[in-house]
């Protein structure tokens, strides 16, 4: 593996840096979410007033400003989402993800309210940009983090396994 | 025009050279630009009673006032959200002189953004990722290019746009830079083919030539009252209207119903049109923040120059080049002249209104300037003397 620091001593952002501090930061508003992902559950807040979901976590419902909420369990490994936007980071890349990785927004449907969804940023695994078609289904997975937590991610569904690829 | 806006004018502009490595401190760069701007205005440092900069500038008003021996000052401020705050420095200054909080306010931005800390590179390490960034940074979404790519990819999808459709904007701006001796790409125009063969930064939305030119340098702009301006040597440029726009923080706020229109620019623009009584047809030249060229398209739509999704037709066939339907970024923009957080674009608008631009547009009555979309932003209309 190449060094994350160039010969000139400058950080080389094209190389994933094993020394980068990638610990997730959480606070009183977001801790429940990361506690959930550590247990392989994808959670979101549901407003007790307007009953809509919101993400990312925060102290008030962005739809109606209500402060009381319950936790909705959106699923675990294999839960299906839909690609809302996707792109491939070439260079410069990331000390965490390296280069040539897919970034995406995926919508996970609200299990109780038809037509509504929460949108999450993620990486797409198991395919390349040509597979990352907006509107395509993807499945939830969790990646282990060094600090013991887990990061929710999505895998591209290979729907046409019989066809040419 | 709303009456308070008639009370402020831009009377001086100054800048350093734009480079990859200035070899001088950011404080030194600020001093050079400010003294140049004051000389241009025919004013002395002792005339200055206000300073406005960006919150991300390393030179806060106090340290700079001490360095330059300014003072006492009666107005000082910094604007929020990095490159979104450029036009807002002028608006803050204009409001200060209109209300009498100050009489001569200098707005400035100085940065060694290329030789120092680069915004185009990920900065991670030393401590845990902040809670608000923990929903993006772990996925390798650190820089503006990486964040905006998801908005732009969705824009491309919804409106049938491809990266080739934005090439005419990049080519027009490099054409403007090619004839601007102050531009880092002076003498170096590009073709559509050059653009389309430049390497991907984020595929399939941003190529190298879609990204702004990280630069070292400084720009300063002097604002005073309309009355004081009449005694000064330069043709005063009126601050016709100024506004800010906040509609989420798109670089990491992908959770609104629509993420691919420049809603912050629309908010700022609608306020400008309402405050000035002007509309897109009253503007002869536009300086639209081009940290990333595809966002010039979304700004044209948000400001009402064309309907949503139609900007690719507006920019085609030289539409935003000198001589086109709306010349945009006649200095070369942030992709052709330099990335000075948009302060260099405000200086270009002033030159266009004075009639001293190297790529001068004929009969400019009003110039529209925007700051960075994709973050909470700001915008200005500058005008010729009444």
């Amino acid at each position: 593996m190449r060094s994350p620091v160039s010969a000139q001593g400058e950080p080389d952002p094209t190389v994933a840096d094993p020394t980068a501090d990638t610990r997730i930061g959480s606070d009183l508003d977001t801790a429940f979410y990361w506690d959930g992902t550590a247990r392989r559950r994808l959670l979101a807040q549901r407003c007790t007033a307007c009953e809509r979901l919101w993400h990312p976590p925060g102290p008030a419902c962005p739809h109606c400003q209500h402060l009381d909420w319950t936790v909705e369990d959106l699923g675990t490994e294999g839960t299906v989402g839909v690609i809302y936007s996707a792109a491939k980071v070439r260079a410069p890349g990331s000390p965490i993800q390296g280069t040539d990785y897919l970034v995406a927004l995926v919508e996970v449907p609200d299990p109780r309210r038809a037509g509504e969804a929460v949108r999450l940023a993620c990486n797409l695994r198991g395919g390349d940009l040509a597979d990352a078609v907006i509107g395509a289904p993807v499945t939830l997975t969790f990646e282990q983090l060094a600090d013991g937590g887990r990061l929710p991610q999505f895998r591209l569904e290979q729907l046409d396994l019989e066809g040419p690829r | 025009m709303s009456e308070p806006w008639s009370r402020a004018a831009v009377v001086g502009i100054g800048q350093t050279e734009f480079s990859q490595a200035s070899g001088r401190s950011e404080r030194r760069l600020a001093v050079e630009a400010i003294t140049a701007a004051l000389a241009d205005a025919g004013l002395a440092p002792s005339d200055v009673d206000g300073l406005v900069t960006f919150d991300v500038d390393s030179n806060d008003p106090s340290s700079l006032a001490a360095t330059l021996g300014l003072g006492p000052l009666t107005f000082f401020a910094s604007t929020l959200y990095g490159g979104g705050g450029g036009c807002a420095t002028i608006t803050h200054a204009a409001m200060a002189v209109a209300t009498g909080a100050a009489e001569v306010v200098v707005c400035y931005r100085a940065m060694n953004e290329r030789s120092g800390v680069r915004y185009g590179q990920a900065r991670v390490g030393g401590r845990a990722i902040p809670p608000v960034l923990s929903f993006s940074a772990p996925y390798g979404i650190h820089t503006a290019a990486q964040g905006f790519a998801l908005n732009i990819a969705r824009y491309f999808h919804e409106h049938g746009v491809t990266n080739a459709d934005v090439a005419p904007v990049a080519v027009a701006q490099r054409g403007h830079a090619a004839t601007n001796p102050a531009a880092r790409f002076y003498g170096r125009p590009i073709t559509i083919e050059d653009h389309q063969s430049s390497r991907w930064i984020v595929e399939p939305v941003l190529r190298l030539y879609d990204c702004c030119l990280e630069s070292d340098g400084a720009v300063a702009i002097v604002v005073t009252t309309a009355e004081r301006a009449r005694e000064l040597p330069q043709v005063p440029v009126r601050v016709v209207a100024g506004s800010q726009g906040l509609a989420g923080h798109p670089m990491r706020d992908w959770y609104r119903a629509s993420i691919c229109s420049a809603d912050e620019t629309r908010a700022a623009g609608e306020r400008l049109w309402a405050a000035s009584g002007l509309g897109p047809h009253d503007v002869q030249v536009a300086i639209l923040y081009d940290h990333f060229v595809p966002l010039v398209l979304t700004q044209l739509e948000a400001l009402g120059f064309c309907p949503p999704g139609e900007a690719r037709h507006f920019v085609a066939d030289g539409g935003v080049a000198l001589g086109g339907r709306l010349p945009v970024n006649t200095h070369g923009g942030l992709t052709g002249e330099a990335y000075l957080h948009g302060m260099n674009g405000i200086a270009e608008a002033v030159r266009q209104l004075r009639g001293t631009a190297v790529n001068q547009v004929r009969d400019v009555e009003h110039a529209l300037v925007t700051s960075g979309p994709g973050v909470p932003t700001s915008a200005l209309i500058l005008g010729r003397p009444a």
Side-chain angles (χ1 to χ4, degrees):
Chain A
M1 163 171 208
R2 286 192 293 151
S3 165
V5 177
S6 74
Q8 290 74 40
E10 294 178 349
D12 181 348
T14 66
V15 179
D17 180 357
T19 69
D21 187 341
T22 58
R23 283 175 298 150
I24 300 287
S26 70
D27 60 18
L28 289 173
D29 294 323
T30 66
F32 82 92
Y33 178 86
W34 298 112
D35 291 345
T37 62
R39 296 181 284 111
R40 293 195 172 85
R41 305 305 310 190
L42 181 64
L43 307 179
Q45 287 161 289
R46 183 182 301 284
C47 176
T48 59
C50 74
E51 300 188 336
R52 295 177 68 182
L53 295 177
W54 79 81
H55 177 87
C61 172
H63 312 294
C64 75
Q65 298 77 45
H66 196 67
L67 289 171
D68 295 328
W69 47 276
T70 56
V71 172
E72 181 69 48
D73 188 335
L74 299 180
T76 185
E77 303 270 358
T79 293
V80 175
V82 174
I83 299 174
Y84 184 77
S85 185
K88 182 178 185 176
V89 175
R90 299 290 292 272
S94 161
I96 298 172
Q97 295 292 340
T99 53
D100 296 329
Y101 53 94
L102 298 178
V103 293
L105 301 175
V106 166
E107 290 194 332
V108 177
D110 182 335
R112 299 191 197 188
R113 291 169 63 92
E116 296 185 13
V118 294
R119 208 177 285 158
L120 299 96
C122 61
N123 299 119
L124 297 177
R125 307 302 195 196
D128 206 344
L129 185 59
D131 309 305
V133 178
I134 290 176
V138 288
T139 53
L140 179 61
T141 184
F142 292 89
E143 293 179 355
Q144 185 74 49
L145 297 170
D147 64 3
R150 287 190 177 86
L151 192 61
Q153 295 281 26
F154 286 86
R155 291 191 62 79
L156 289 155
E157 282 292 293
Q158 309 295 329
L159 290 179
D160 55 342
L161 292 175
E162 320 265 306
R165 295 206 56 83
Chain B
M1 178 172 63
S2 131
E3 199 271 337
W5 288 108
S6 64
R7 297 180 195 160
V10 176
V11 293
I13 54 176
Q15 64 193 45
T16 65
E17 85 288 1
F18 305 132
S19 72
Q20 286 193 70
S22 71
R24 314 197 288 294
S25 71
E26 291 179 333
R27 190 145 47 133
R28 162 84 183 244
L29 294 174
V31 166
E32 291 182 27
I34 290 170
T35 52
L38 288 170
D40 182 60
L43 290 166
S46 56
D47 293 313
V48 176
D49 56 7
L51 289 174
V52 186
T53 188
F54 295 53
D55 61 339
V56 290
D57 199 287
S58 66
N59 304 291
D60 68 282
S62 157
S63 65
L64 205 51
T67 300
L68 279 163
L70 303 180
L73 305 184
T74 58
F75 180 77
F76 36 90
S78 62
T79 62
L80 293 167
Y81 304 115
C87 290
T89 64
I90 307 298
T91 300
H92 281 53
M95 292 193 291
V97 303
T99 57
E103 188 174 8
V104 175
V105 180
V106 180
C107 305
Y108 62 93
R109 180 77 177 101
M111 58 188 198
N112 283 327
E113 199 275 337
R114 179 62 179 78
S115 66
V117 176
R118 299 176 64 177
Y119 297 156
Q121 309 281 349
R123 286 168 283 171
V124 175
R127 61 194 174 97
I129 298 166
V132 71
L133 297 182
S134 288
F135 298 92
S136 53
Y139 302 106
I141 304 172
H142 309 281
T143 66
Q146 291 157 359
F148 293 150
L150 292 168
N151 306 70
I152 299 168
R154 183 71 196 184
Y155 172 77
F156 280 14
H157 171 79
E158 290 190 10
H159 296 295
V161 179
T162 69
N163 179 263
D165 291 317
V166 310
V169 181
V171 170
Q173 296 183 183
R174 287 290 296 271
H176 300 154
T179 53
N180 170 13
R184 287 187 56 200
F185 277 133
Y186 177 54
R188 294 170 63 189
I190 57 170
T191 64
I192 297 285
E193 293 69 33
D194 293 333
H195 177 273
Q196 286 295 288
S197 57
S198 70
R199 65 184 167 89
W200 286 115
I201 301 301
V202 185
E203 189 179 355
V205 292
L206 294 173
R207 293 182 183 275
L208 180 65
Y209 289 163
D210 294 314
C211 299
C212 60
L213 196 52
E214 291 182 288
S215 298
D216 289 8
V219 177
I221 296 173
V222 184
V223 177
T224 189
T225 61
E227 295 75 33
R228 185 85 177 261
R230 286 190 208 104
E231 307 162 5
L232 298 175
Q234 300 291 352
V235 173
V237 168
R238 290 186 302 129
V239 181
V240 176
S243 62
Q244 292 176 282
L246 190 157
H249 191 307
M251 191 155 68
R252 56 173 181 263
D253 178 3
W254 300 292
Y255 312 101
R256 291 176 288 155
S258 171
I259 63 164
C260 62
S261 50
D263 294 343
E264 55 287 341
T265 302
R266 174 177 292 110
E270 286 177 351
R271 180 56 60 109
L272 286 184
W273 301 137
S276 65
L278 302 173
H281 292 291
D282 299 308
V283 169
Q284 291 77 38
V285 59
I287 308 296
L288 303 181
Y289 200 94
D290 57 318
H291 42 1
F292 301 103
V293 167
L295 298 179
V296 172
L297 276 69
T298 59
Q299 288 178 89
L300 285 166
E301 296 168 6
L303 292 163
F305 288 101
C306 56
E310 297 295 314
R312 65 188 165 118
H313 304 301
F314 188 91
V315 304
D317 305 319
V320 291
L322 207 57
R325 51 184 74 89
L326 177 71
V328 171
N329 296 335
T330 45
H331 55 321
L334 309 180
T335 53
E337 187 183 61
Y339 175 66
L340 252 296
H341 252 168
M343 286 299 271
N344 50 323
I346 300 172
E348 170 67 6
V350 171
R351 289 187 293 266
Q352 287 287 351
L353 288 155
R354 288 178 176 179
T356 60
V358 290
N359 296 312
Q360 183 65 47
V361 176
R362 290 177 55 186
D363 302 324
V364 178
E365 289 291 323
H366 300 105
L368 174 70
V369 190
T370 62
S371 293
V375 291
T377 192
S378 54
L380 278 174
I381 298 174
L382 300 177
R384 285 176 58 82

